């Protein structure tokens, strides 16, 4: 008899039945292609062309434009020549957590940011103070931005360090300091850490940094904004105790607390005004004129133009569509020349992968166009009348309208841009949270409300009145928009607009 409290360890066989989703490598590739930007897609295509000898570019054939009508007819589930399960075929529209266990941080954040569940979904989406009609102005056809930055900031500094009258040891220290300079021209990192890493005295590192502060542009390699401005003032012979006190109290200047500034600087109002004017003439980011690479212009994936017959015409940008084909002649040659089973398997695998990639690219293009067309249909008032008419929109609304899953719409709208008469926008721009109206019958786009708040504040100087957040709430309520004061404050801060107290000071000081 087995004693009480003991257990028996053994092996046994069990048969369990369960359901699982079969994801083939080809389906994973199709999902990946859907969320790539046009630049990332081009890099992916280059890699496939190098890897697969049966693929070649179809550069000679003119691109065939695909319009929204054709996309609505063709876009749907991917179809395959090789037999796969129905569950796997629908995997393109599955949730990310169904596919990979847990969504990636980027996808999860993206879905949460545009699910329309609350007004905090898109804080500070656009700064309407600098975008005019919104977004980026579309580039003229064929226009290219000139590359004005011939050398990088680091090359510029390294050249000056090499030509400076320094010992080889000091030049090595200077190069180590230059490696710690960011794009704005500021030195990041602790000098003690650099000295410890180089095995030299801290005083010697500080002495080399003093020499580097004489490099061009003036203010380069400063460790803070006050130090950067101080170096520029010293060069102009305008650094005195009053200016030093002003640099030590830039927070008061940001708050426009001029009375406190006059007190700490020991100057009158006229002198303080002159000192502030001098600061405005300085450069807080001396390295901004350089860059590691030229800025790249956003290339839209979709073009939206007014249709002469009414409405909007939505087309894919043919310049961003990779045109690939399978070289059937070469395929026949290598297939006939294959002798071993390994060679035959390689040729068959290349043919299968090439066929899949061509179909996946075609499906990707049609899916993007189908999603973009529905977004344009939902936001046609914005295109016609401006941002104040931007409607609340979430992923589910678009997904239900076109018969796709929300995750598919999320992937399609990531890193994809549309050129409209009002500028170039990322597709995710059109997904905004809803703010209820006072009557509870309709809703307003959060982005439209943000723009309305900014327009109201922009008109303050004309009549001399400054609107408080409470007054803005009252005006919006009178217009039928139910919004809380804390929401107005949050939108105002997202637009980088000071409080009413600070705006009053700015009006008084001109």
């Amino acid at each position: 008899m087995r004693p009480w409290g003991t257990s028996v360890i053994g092996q046994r066989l069990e048969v369990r039945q369960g359901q699982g989703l079969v994801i083939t490598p080809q389906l994973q590739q199709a999902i990946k292609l859907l969320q790539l930007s046009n630049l990332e897609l081009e890099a992916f295509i280059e890699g496939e062309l190098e890897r697969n000898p049966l693929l070649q570019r179809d550069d000679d054939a003119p691109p065939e434009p695909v319009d929204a009508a054709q996309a609505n007819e063709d876009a749907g589930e991917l179809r395959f020549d090789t037999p796969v399960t129905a569950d796997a075929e629908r995997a393109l529209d599955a949730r990310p957590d169904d596919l990979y266990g847990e969504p990636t941080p980027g996808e999860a954040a993206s879905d949460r940011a545009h699910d329309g569940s609350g007004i905090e979904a898109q804080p500070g989406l656009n700064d309407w103070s600098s975008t005019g009609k919104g977004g980026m102005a579309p580039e003229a056809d064929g226009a290219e931005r000139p590359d004005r930055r011939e050398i990088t900031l680091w090359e510029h500094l390294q050249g000056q360090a090499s030509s400076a009258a320094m010992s080889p040891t000091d030049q090595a220290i200077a190069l180590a300091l230059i490696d710690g300079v960011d794009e704005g021209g500021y030195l990041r990192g602790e000098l003690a850490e650099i000295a410890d890493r180089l095995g030299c005295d801290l005083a010697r590192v500080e002495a080399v940094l003093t020499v580097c502060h004489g490099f061009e542009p003036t203010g380069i390699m400063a460790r803070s904004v006050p130090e950067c401005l101080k170096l520029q003032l010293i060069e102009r012979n305008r650094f005195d105790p009053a200016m030093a006190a002003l640099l030590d109290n830039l927070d008061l200047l940001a708050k426009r607390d001029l009375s406190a500034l006059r007190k700490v600087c020991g100057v009158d109002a006229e002198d303080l005004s002159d000192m502030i004017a001098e600061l405005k003439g300085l450069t807080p980011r001396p390295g901004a004129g350089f860059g590691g690479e030229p800025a790249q212009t956003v290339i839209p994936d979709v073009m939206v133009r007014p249709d002469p017959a009414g409405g909007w015409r939505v087309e894919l940008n043919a310049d961003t569509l990779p045109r690939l084909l399978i070289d059937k002649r070469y395929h026949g040659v290598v297939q006939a020349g294959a002798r071993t089973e390994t060679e035959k398997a390689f040729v068959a695998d290349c043919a299968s992968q090439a066929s899949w990639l061509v179909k996946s690219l075609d499906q990707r293009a049609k899916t993007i166009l189908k999603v973009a067309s529905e977004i344009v249909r939902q936001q046609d008032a914005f295109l016609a009348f401006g941002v104040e008419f931007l409607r609340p929109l979430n992923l589910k609304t678009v997904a239900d309208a076109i018969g796709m899953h929300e995750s598919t719409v999320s992937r399609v709208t990531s890193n994809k841009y549309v050129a409209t008469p009002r500028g170039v926008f990322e597709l995710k721009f059109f997904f905004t949270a809803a703010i209820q109206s006072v009557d509870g019958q309709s809703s307003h786009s959060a982005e439209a409300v943000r723009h309305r708040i900014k327009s109201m504040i922009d008109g303050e100087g004309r009549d001399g009145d400054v609107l408080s957040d409470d007054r803005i709430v009252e005006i919006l309520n009178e217009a039928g928009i139910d919004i809380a004061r804390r929401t107005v404050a949050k939108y105002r801060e997202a637009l980088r607009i000071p409080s009413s107290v600070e705006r009053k000071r700015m009006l008084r000081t001109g």
Side-chain angles (χ1 to χ4, degrees):
M1 178 181 292
R2 178 165 53 89
W4 182 85
T6 63
S7 60
V8 177
I9 300 176
Q11 296 180 348
R12 62 178 179 177
L13 296 175
E14 290 186 356
V15 178
R16 295 183 180 180
Q17 186 177 4
Q19 292 183 341
L21 187 61
V22 180
I23 300 296
T24 64
Q26 291 87 353
L27 278 170
Q28 292 184 13
Q29 182 189 83
I31 295 171
K32 177 183 177 182
L33 290 178
L34 197 59
Q35 59 192 11
L36 294 181
S37 66
N38 49 42
L39 294 177
E40 294 169 337
L41 181 63
E42 182 64 26
F44 176 81
I45 294 300
E46 288 295 333
E48 289 297 307
L49 286 171
E50 293 179 4
R51 190 190 67 83
N52 195 329
L54 300 184
L55 280 172
Q56 69 176 34
R57 289 187 181 274
D58 189 17
D59 294 330
D60 296 334
E64 297 181 3
V66 180
D67 57 18
Q70 182 179 348
N72 289 333
E73 292 177 2
D74 297 339
E77 300 290 348
L78 282 172
R79 296 293 181 260
F80 314 103
D81 295 335
T82 55
V84 293
T85 64
D87 288 339
E89 192 173 342
R90 288 192 295 270
L92 186 60
D93 282 341
R95 290 182 180 275
D97 51 354
D98 293 335
L99 297 176
Y100 307 110
E102 294 183 359
T104 61
E107 281 187 314
S110 174
D111 286 341
R112 287 194 300 270
H114 301 280
D115 61 1
S117 59
I119 55 178
E120 298 182 1
Q122 291 177 300
L125 176 65
N126 269 12
D127 181 6
W128 291 99
S129 63
S130 60
T131 54
K133 292 183 178 180
M136 293 166 284
E139 294 283 331
D141 292 339
E144 296 183 359
R145 290 187 181 180
D147 181 9
R148 296 186 178 89
R149 290 172 281 199
E150 298 179 355
I151 61 173
T152 66
L153 172 62
W154 298 275
E155 291 170 345
H156 180 66
L157 295 176
Q158 289 167 1
Q160 295 182 76
S162 300
S163 59
M166 292 190 292
S167 67
T169 302
D170 289 344
Q171 282 195 358
I173 296 174
L175 293 178
L177 292 172
I178 291 171
D179 288 339
V181 176
D182 65 10
E183 292 84 353
Y186 287 89
L187 177 62
R188 304 304 180 187
E190 296 294 331
L191 296 185
E193 180 182 346
I194 296 176
D196 182 68
R197 177 162 52 89
L198 296 178
C200 61
D201 295 333
L202 176 61
R204 187 164 189 175
V205 176
E206 292 174 343
V208 173
L209 179 59
T210 302
V211 176
C212 293
H213 281 163
F215 292 172
E216 294 292 336
T218 306
I220 203 69
M221 300 180 70
R223 287 162 288 181
S224 63
V225 173
E227 185 179 31
C228 177
L229 300 178
K230 174 184 175 181
L231 293 173
Q232 298 178 55
L233 289 169
I234 291 175
E235 183 191 52
R236 301 185 182 190
N237 198 25
R238 288 294 300 136
F239 186 74
D240 52 30
M243 193 65 83
L246 178 59
L247 293 181
D248 290 337
N249 296 273
L250 290 180
D251 56 330
L252 295 178
L253 180 59
K255 296 177 183 178
R256 305 296 297 181
D257 193 351
L258 302 185
S259 59
L261 276 177
R262 289 195 295 270
K263 193 173 188 180
V264 297
C265 295
V267 296
D268 56 21
E270 183 178 356
D271 288 338
L272 181 62
S273 178
D274 293 338
M275 293 165 62
I276 294 175
E278 283 191 58
L279 286 187
K280 290 181 178 180
L282 304 178
T283 305
R285 287 176 57 87
F290 300 83
E293 294 180 355
Q296 295 181 338
T297 304
V298 171
I299 302 176
D301 301 85
V302 182
M303 314 294 290
V304 177
R305 300 183 179 89
D307 194 328
W312 303 95
R313 186 171 184 83
V314 185
E315 294 179 345
L316 290 174
N317 184 0
D319 294 336
T320 64
L321 298 178
R323 296 183 291 277
L324 298 180
L325 54 81
I326 303 174
D327 192 340
K328 295 183 179 180
R329 178 179 172 277
Y330 184 64
H331 178 214
V333 171
V334 296
Q335 190 176 38
R339 295 290 183 264
T340 66
E341 291 299 324
T342 303
E343 293 174 350
K344 293 178 181 179
F346 174 74
V347 174
D349 180 66
C350 287
S352 175
Q353 293 291 336
S355 176
W356 180 276
L357 181 58
V358 171
K359 292 180 181 179
S360 297
L361 291 174
D362 179 66
Q363 183 64 34
R364 174 186 181 273
K366 292 173 181 176
T367 304
I368 291 174
L369 186 56
K370 190 173 184 179
V371 172
S373 299
E374 178 60 25
I375 292 175
V376 170
R377 190 185 71 83
Q378 296 277 354
Q379 302 289 7
D380 59 338
F382 160 74
L383 298 174
F385 305 110
V387 70
E388 293 185 7
F389 294 86
L390 196 65
R391 297 181 183 133
L393 187 64
N394 56 31
L395 296 173
K396 188 176 186 303
T397 302
V398 175
D400 292 344
I402 61 179
M404 291 184 177
H405 199 277
E406 294 176 46
S407 63
T408 303
V409 178
S410 177
R411 291 185 179 99
V412 168
T413 53
S414 296
N415 302 314
K416 311 295 188 306
Y417 293 84
V418 54
T420 73
R422 296 193 175 276
V424 179
F425 300 91
E426 188 179 9
L427 285 177
K428 283 192 179 294
F429 163 81
F430 297 98
F431 294 94
T432 64
I435 296 179
Q436 292 298 320
S437 61
V438 175
D439 56 14
Q441 300 297 320
S442 59
S443 56
H444 303 270
S445 165
E447 187 64 31
V449 174
R450 272 192 286 265
H451 180 63
R452 191 161 186 168
I453 291 172
K454 183 183 183 306
S455 299
M456 293 164 58
I457 295 176
D458 285 345
E460 287 177 341
R462 299 168 187 170
D463 51 16
D465 294 332
V466 174
L467 300 174
S468 65
D469 291 346
D470 290 325
R471 178 55 184 156
I472 292 176
V473 170
E474 294 176 1
I475 295 175
L476 292 177
N477 287 340
E478 293 172 359
I481 302 174
D482 186 13
I483 190 170
R485 180 188 177 279
R486 63 179 179 275
T487 305
V488 171
K490 182 185 69 174
Y491 287 175
R492 175 178 53 74
E493 292 171 358
L495 293 168
R496 301 182 182 90
I497 297 176
S499 65
S500 58
V501 175
E502 294 178 9
R503 298 201 305 273
K504 285 180 181 178
R505 292 174 180 165
M506 295 171 66
L507 285 177
R508 287 198 300 265
T509 59

